[in-house]
Amino acid sequence: MAHLLPNVMRHSDFLSAAVKKVLIVYAHQSSGSFNAAAKDTAVEALKAQGCTVEVSDLYAIKFKATATAEDITGEVKNADHFCYAEETKLAWEEGKLSADITEEQRKLTWADLVIFQFPMYWFTVPAIMKGWIDRVLTLGYAYTQEKRYSQGLFKGKKVMLSFTTGSQESMFRADGINGDMNVTLWPLQNGILHYCGFQVLAPQIFWAPSHVPSEARSAMLEGWRTRLQGVMQEKTLSFTPSDWFDGETGFQLKPEVHEQHAATEYGLTAGIHLGKVLPPNNQMTAGV
C-alpha cells in the first residue's frame, strides 16, 4: 500500500512557462503606499516577460464587500430563507449574477496566475478583499462538494499571496508574540486557495516596511522584481491529497496514511499535523 502514498504532494511541481495571463487583485487605499509600489513593480516585471496583466483595484472601483441578495439580478428562489451560496449558484448558472461579480469572474477565468496584493489586517486580508473572495468565488463557479482541494475547479491555475505586515518578522516566528506565520496563513492558503484547487506558490511577505529605512524598502521591491523574473519556474506549496481522506468516515485520514506516517517526526502540513511538530515553513516555503 505504501507505494500508493507518496510524500505530501507538490501540486504541479513547476509553474508552466506558458503562463502569460496574470490577474492582480489589489487592495490598498493609497497610490503612494508600499503596497501600490509592490503592485506596480509586479505589473512592470511581468509585462517585461511578455505577460498580459490585469489589475482589479478594489478600492478604486469601490468593490462591494458585503455578500447580499443584491448580488443577484431578478427574483431570488427563496426570499424568506435566503441562502447566499445556493442562490448565487443558481444565478451563476442562469447568468443572473451582478455585473461586478461577472466581470471579476471573467478576469479570474482568463488568468493563469493570480496575485493578491494587500496589507495584512488583523492577521488576514482587508475586508474589501474578503468581500471579493466571498462574492467572486461562488458555489458552482469556484468549487463544488465534489470539486475541491486537490480535485478543485481551479487546479490549472496558480496563485500567490503578496502582502505587507505591520509587525517585524521575529514576531511571527514559532516563539514570537504573534505566533507562527505558517499557522496564520493556513486558513487563507488551504481554506480558500487550495480549497478551490489553486496551485499555491509561496507567499511574498514584506515584513514591516513602514518600520524600515527607505533603502530597505527599495531592496524589498528589488527582491520582488527578481523573484518575479523566475516565478514561472517556481515549485508550489505542499498540501495533503484529497484521496488520502475517506469520505465514508467524515473525510478523516485513511488508516494506511496514518500507518505510513506513524514514525515520522513532523505532521503532514501546518493544519493536518497529526498532533506532531508542524513541518517547518510548510506554508511559506515550497517543497516542505
Side-chain angles (χ1 to χ4, degrees):
M1 182 63 70
H3 69 282
L4 297 177
L5 300 172
N7 290 332
V8 176
M9 72 177 182
R10 282 73 171 164
H11 299 299
S12 157
D13 277 348
F14 293 95
L15 183 60
S16 170
V19 171
K20 291 293 183 181
K21 297 174 291 185
V22 183
L23 170 63
I24 299 176
V25 183
Y26 167 67
H28 199 285
Q29 305 91 330
S30 174
S31 61
S33 66
F34 184 90
N35 272 273
K39 178 259 296 178
D40 292 342
T41 297
V43 171
E44 294 169 5
L46 291 165
K47 284 186 174 180
Q49 299 179 59
C51 295
T52 303
V53 182
E54 287 206 41
V55 177
S56 289
D57 186 337
L58 301 185
Y59 285 104
I61 64 177
K62 296 180 170 59
F63 191 81
K64 185 170 82 75
T66 54
T68 67
E70 296 174 357
D71 296 341
I72 298 164
T73 59
E75 298 294 323
V76 299
K77 182 178 180 181
N78 189 343
D80 294 330
H81 185 66
F82 180 75
C83 175
Y84 189 84
E86 293 298 331
E87 293 284 1
T88 51
K89 178 178 182 293
L90 291 173
W92 170 71
E93 292 172 344
E94 298 172 2
K96 294 182 178 179
L97 287 173
S98 60
D100 60 341
I101 294 176
T102 299
E103 173 62 7
E104 294 305 308
Q105 289 184 344
R106 177 197 67 79
K107 296 176 188 176
L108 183 52
T109 299
W110 165 86
D112 301 308
L113 169 64
V114 181
I115 299 173
F116 289 91
Q117 180 66 56
F118 61 95
M120 179 169 275
Y121 283 3
W122 293 107
F123 294 72
T124 188
V125 298
I128 198 168
M129 183 170 283
K130 183 55 165 61
W132 189 97
I133 291 166
D134 290 345
R135 299 179 64 228
V136 176
L137 302 181
T138 56
L139 176 62
Y141 169 71
Y143 68 96
T144 68
Q145 186 72 16
E146 300 76 26
K147 298 290 186 179
R148 54 183 175 163
Y149 291 118
S150 56
Q151 301 302 317
L153 291 167
F154 294 155
K155 61 185 178 181
K157 298 180 183 294
K158 280 69 181 178
V159 69
M160 179 197 303
L161 301 180
S162 174
F163 60 93
T164 58
T165 67
S167 301
Q168 60 198 47
E169 183 176 5
S170 61
M171 297 169 71
F172 278 105
R173 291 176 182 161
D175 59 353
I177 193 169
N178 289 344
D180 191 338
M181 178 59 86
N182 291 277
V183 176
T184 298
L185 290 171
W186 178 256
L188 294 171
Q189 295 188 154
N190 180 75
I192 299 172
L193 304 179
H194 175 51
Y195 188 91
C196 293
F198 282 109
Q199 298 171 38
V200 186
L201 296 171
Q204 178 69 25
I205 306 176
F206 300 102
W207 300 104
S210 62
H211 299 296
V212 299
S214 59
E215 295 82 4
R217 290 194 294 273
S218 296
M220 288 180 181
L221 293 173
E222 196 55 39
W224 178 221
R225 185 184 302 276
T226 299
R227 180 185 177 186
L228 288 166
Q229 291 171 358
V231 73
M232 304 306 183
Q233 288 76 42
E234 285 189 9
K235 292 184 177 182
T236 55
L237 297 177
S238 302
F239 295 92
T240 311
S242 299
D243 60 7
W244 285 20
F245 299 88
D246 188 349
E248 299 298 319
T249 61
F251 291 96
Q252 296 285 292
L253 278 173
K254 294 176 180 178
E256 56 267 31
V257 179
H258 274 291
E259 181 180 351
Q260 182 186 7
H261 292 86
T264 58
E265 178 182 2
Y266 299 113
L268 297 175
T269 60
I272 305 167
H273 49 70
L274 309 180
K276 300 182 180 185
V277 177
L278 302 188
N281 290 325
N282 170 255
Q283 291 297 295
M284 296 173 65
T285 304
V288 175

